[in-house]
Amino acid sequence: MQSGRTTLSKFLIEQLRGRDDGADLGALLVDVAAAVKAIAAMTAKGALGGVLGALDARNVQGETQKKLDVLANDAIIQGCEWGGLVAGMASEELEAPYAIPAEFKRGKFLLVFDPLDGSSNTDVNVSVGTIFSVLRHEPEAAPAEADFLQPGSRQVAAGYAIYGPATMLVLTVGAGTHGFTLDREVGNFILTHPQLAIPEDSSEFAINTSNERFWEPPVQRYVCECKAGRSGERGRDFNMRWIASMVAEVHRILMRGGVFLYPKDTKDPGKPGRLRLLYEANPVALLIEQAGGYASTGRGRILELEPGALHQRVPVMLGSRNEVARLERYHAEHDRGDDQPFVSPLFNERSLYRPEMALGSGK
């Protein structure tokens, strides 16, 4: 290993020095990193590993489970349950919190995670990731579901791994957002992207425009202005991106700026949003804000939300601070009724789709 390179372990020792829970938190994050390495090895094998494809099962979200969803979930649980560092865990793949087996000591942290974000992309070899959040747990008793329902502002650490051309681990312990790249030859995560910073302004946005007809007017207004480019309200051209993997979208924003939107829509009125608050929105929001960005539902800061359920869903708008602030302003104007009525050019007054106005039509 080259001299002078900062490993994840060294970084955590330096970052957490002097904190009462620093040694235990650092050890837990090293355990998470070890599980990430195992998941990276599985995803890297692709079709050669025999782990692609779907299972004949659905998770608590009602989503079809991929083989890698279950394997990644098991890797994190098995890697973190035995060390006496966590009191309990919760996952996208499990209906209820995971209780630490009786033979293992319980610790003072709770770990919540999405084991394989964007897993629908595994069969087509597109980047996927793991998202995690660490919370405190003080009581001696085993945690109940209510103990996990803490606002994102109380997270003591958060991060994600992205499995792409290189495997990276991006995390925060409350002192900036930092990126580590896995050196496969020696098996260490090396600090390669210290103190990531998101520019306040951007000309890039990510959203699934196939749902445009279901969006609220403030989101339609914002996206319409972006697509109008320099000839429209914004006076400059925007690029649009969509990968269908939140980790990949957020990683791009942390590297070069932009805004990511997964807004509330009317496609499924029973869901107030699409992304899960505790193990998707909250950890990513903390990473974004520690890098100088902002994360909102459109109507308030994500990190201030009081969770009401383990798998609660919320709208998510995050990235470059000024762009997210504009989205909040559009929502506030709409809710007050003091904005101009907005009708998307994709629809006429009878809400019928106008394909001649669709993105990429050239008209």
Side-chain angles (χ1 to χ4, degrees), residues 4-303:
R5 299 203 300 178
T6 300
T7 64
L8 174 63
S9 296
K10 180 181 178 182
F11 172 85
L12 291 170
I13 290 170
E14 294 174 347
Q15 284 273 308
L16 299 172
R17 183 179 287 121
R19 285 176 49 166
D20 291 341
D21 58 0
D24 285 349
L25 179 57
L28 174 56
L29 293 173
V30 168
D31 284 348
V32 172
V36 162
K37 294 175 193 177
I39 298 169
M42 288 186 284
T43 59
K45 290 179 181 178
L48 299 176
V51 295
L52 299 185
L55 297 171
D56 188 19
R58 292 181 179 271
N59 62 17
V60 65
Q61 321 291 337
E63 301 162 343
T64 300
Q65 287 183 310
K66 298 286 188 177
K67 294 177 184 177
L68 274 171
D69 284 323
V70 175
L71 292 170
N73 190 73
D74 291 346
I76 296 174
I77 288 176
Q78 293 168 10
C80 298
E81 68 179 352
W82 59 273
L85 300 168
V86 294
M89 292 181 268
S91 164
E92 180 184 8
E93 301 302 323
L94 301 175
E95 182 174 1
Y98 177 81
I100 300 302
E103 64 265 30
F104 299 134
K105 177 184 174 183
R106 283 197 300 268
K108 294 185 177 180
F109 296 109
L110 302 174
L111 180 66
V112 294
F113 56 91
D114 179 352
L116 201 64
D117 174 73
S119 59
S120 62
N121 286 320
T122 54
D123 293 345
V124 292
N125 200 25
V126 173
S127 295
V128 294
T130 296
I131 310 173
F132 63 91
S133 167
V134 181
L135 302 162
R136 284 194 177 91
H137 178 68
E138 299 299 340
E140 295 285 339
E145 179 172 329
D147 294 304
F148 289 84
L149 305 183
Q150 302 180 35
S153 58
R154 292 176 60 183
Q155 295 173 103
V156 294
Y160 67 78
I162 182 168
Y163 312 112
T167 294
M168 287 191 65
L169 180 66
V170 179
L171 63 80
T172 181
V173 291
T177 297
H178 310 272
F180 301 79
T181 302
L182 179 61
D183 185 333
R184 298 181 189 275
E185 295 178 358
V186 298
N188 276 339
F189 277 105
I190 307 298
L191 180 64
T192 51
H193 296 73
Q195 293 292 352
L196 290 168
I198 299 173
E200 292 186 347
D201 297 290
S202 176
S203 296
E204 194 164 86
F205 69 101
I207 193 169
N208 183 358
T209 55
S210 69
N211 289 325
E212 183 164 2
R213 63 194 184 277
F214 302 112
W215 297 338
E216 292 184 294
V219 177
Q220 290 185 338
R221 175 185 175 186
Y222 176 84
V223 173
C224 182
E225 290 177 354
C226 290
K227 291 193 293 185
R230 69 178 60 192
S231 62
E233 174 77 16
R234 301 302 301 275
R236 67 179 191 271
D237 290 331
F238 284 74
N239 290 322
M240 189 186 75
R241 300 286 185 264
W242 186 251
I243 305 174
S245 167
M246 184 187 190
V247 162
E249 305 283 6
V250 169
H251 191 70
R252 184 185 61 250
I253 289 170
L254 282 168
M255 293 297 120
R256 69 186 192 200
V259 62
F260 167 81
L261 300 92
Y262 214 140
K264 176 183 177 182
D265 61 44
T266 60
K267 188 175 184 179
D268 186 345
K271 295 178 180 177
R274 298 286 172 169
L275 297 175
R276 271 62 59 145
L277 174 61
L278 287 180
Y279 44 81
E280 291 177 327
N282 272 345
V284 167
L286 186 62
L287 290 165
I288 290 291
E289 292 201 6
Q290 284 289 315
Y294 183 52
S296 173
T297 64
R299 293 179 170 87
R301 185 177 177 228
I302 286 174
L303 293 177

Side-chain angles (χ1 to χ4, degrees), residues 297-314:
T297 64
R299 293 179 170 87
R301 185 177 177 228
I302 286 174
L303 293 177
E304 294 176 356
L305 292 177
E306 292 285 346
L310 194 63
H311 300 290
Q312 178 178 340
R313 296 173 185 256
V314 294

